[in-house]
Amino acid sequence: MPLFGSKPQQGRLDALLQEISLGAGDDRTVRQLQELAAGMSEEEVKSLADALMANLVKYPDNIAVLTTSVKALAVLPSMPEAKNEFIIALILSLLKAPVNKKDALQRKSLKTEIVKLLLSFVYRDDRYAKLMMPELIAAMDDTHGSISSSVCSALRRLAAERPEYFERHSAALIKHLGSINKSTRAESAKIIGIIAKSHPEYVSKAMPFLQSLASFYPDAHVKRNANEAYQIIWKGTRKEPETPLVNRSTASFGLGFADIVKLKSGSATGIPKAQFTDDEMRDVVELTRREFKSDAEAILNPLGIGHLAVKGKAEKALKGDGRDKQHSPKCPRCGKATWTEGQLCDNCAGAEFDRNVAGGHE
């Protein structure tokens, strides 16, 4: 049905819609469509949105058509709430489409446009965010920095104003603490801290991982955010006042790594244990363990024991100090050299860490 009484305007609109349906649309097409939509009534905008959504259904494998149609939907004036919810449900279904190697790059561009469109709905009314929380949290770790930055900004606002939206999605947020992207680790810790100000019970499962990052992670931004989030959760979940976080100096001069492992698992402090599924626990432990291995030298150098980051160097270092090999500190489990009497070696401490963290799931 024609949307314009004017034939030239209607002809221009038909031509633009045809470009999009043929996969020939571009940013110029979207701009011209936006200009036409600005002069439409609410009913006409709804009809135009229907035409664009029809493309999403008719051409599910044509990435060019899908991408331009999503871009066009993003520039339309706001529509009645029922129509918005239908559009959100439809575009979320596009994110579930299987990706193959041939169209991986194009699908990534499509995902970027979908996230932009989702954010536009959240900016209009943050109640729409409840419909798309898993997708927004997943987009935090997107490789496109500008998009992930916008997503994190929106999630920080939601954490402050709509913390209840995170109740069923905290596990996905906590898994980002193990991201290979340092900024994602820092942002997820920041959002967890904001949620904990009003609902610490939603994110109490993050405590052992926040403590690991705050105690050992070499990046200052990540450490600071993790420490702040940990302290907020601690204060919100503990009844009696107590100093919760073991800092690096305490770990060096008062406690051994095995003692810190006990703190991480909650056995020494009464910290609530993490209740992850087996798969989630394996994912986070593997990410954390891998990061600790790769950053071992950066972690140990400030303590003056960087030589321990390289296997086989401990014995040489001890000899170089003029110490009698017979009196060198030994690991109480395997007998390998360590730097403190009664201290576990790296391998045994790592195994103890995995066992105690996994114990939080039981």
Side-chain angles (χ1 to χ4, degrees), residues 227-258:
N227 185 27
E228 290 176 358
Y230 183 95
Q231 298 285 352
I232 294 171
I233 299 173
W234 180 276
K235 292 176 182 178
T237 56
R238 296 286 291 185
K239 294 182 179 179
E240 66 275 11
E242 192 171 337
T243 302
L245 187 60
V246 179
N247 58 33
R248 184 171 289 180
S249 61
T250 303
S252 302
F253 300 104
L255 297 176
F257 188 76

Side-chain angles (χ1 to χ4, degrees), residues 146-209:
S146 60
I147 299 302
S148 59
S149 176
S150 298
V151 170
C152 290
S153 177
L155 288 173
R156 286 196 299 271
R157 181 165 62 87
L158 290 170
E161 300 175 4
R162 303 276 185 176
E164 64 276 11
Y165 288 1
F166 292 86
E167 181 177 10
R168 295 188 297 125
H169 306 290
S170 60
L173 182 61
I174 291 169
K175 286 178 72 173
H176 280 316
L177 293 174
S179 170
I180 61 174
N181 189 328
K182 292 181 180 179
S183 64
T184 303
R185 289 191 186 215
E187 284 290 350
S188 57
K190 182 71 173 180
I191 294 168
I192 287 170
I194 296 173
I195 296 169
K197 290 179 180 179
S198 58
H199 293 280
E201 70 277 10
Y202 290 173
V203 289
S204 62
K205 302 171 186 177
M207 293 185 75
F209 309 110

Side-chain angles (χ1 to χ4, degrees), residues 27 113 184 199 299 321:
D27 290 340
E113 297 304 325
T184 303
H199 293 280
I299 293 170
D321 290 339

Side-chain angles (χ1 to χ4, degrees), residues 65-176:
V65 174
L66 296 176
T67 302
T68 310
S69 297
V70 170
K71 285 183 178 181
L73 284 168
V75 301
L76 295 184
S78 59
M79 292 168 285
E81 185 175 338
K83 182 64 69 174
N84 285 340
E85 291 182 0
F86 183 77
I87 293 175
I88 290 172
L90 183 58
I91 63 174
L92 287 179
S93 68
L94 297 179
L95 292 176
K96 300 176 182 178
V99 180
N100 56 54
K101 294 182 179 180
K102 293 182 179 179
D103 65 1
L105 186 60
Q106 292 80 3
R107 285 277 176 185
K108 195 168 190 178
S109 298
L110 173 61
K111 176 185 175 182
T112 299
E113 297 304 325
I114 289 175
V115 173
K116 287 181 181 178
L117 180 54
L118 292 176
L119 286 175
S120 71
F121 285 111
V122 176
Y123 295 148
R124 295 176 194 176
D125 188 337
D126 60 16
R127 289 177 296 178
Y128 288 127
K130 193 173 184 179
L131 306 174
M132 58 185 81
M133 289 302 293
E135 291 76 17
L136 290 178
I137 292 174
M140 285 179 63
D141 216 9
D142 196 279
T143 54
H144 298 282
S146 60
I147 299 302
S148 59
S149 176
S150 298
V151 170
C152 290
S153 177
L155 288 173
R156 286 196 299 271
R157 181 165 62 87
L158 290 170
E161 300 175 4
R162 303 276 185 176
E164 64 276 11
Y165 288 1
F166 292 86
E167 181 177 10
R168 295 188 297 125
H169 306 290
S170 60
L173 182 61
I174 291 169
K175 286 178 72 173
H176 280 316

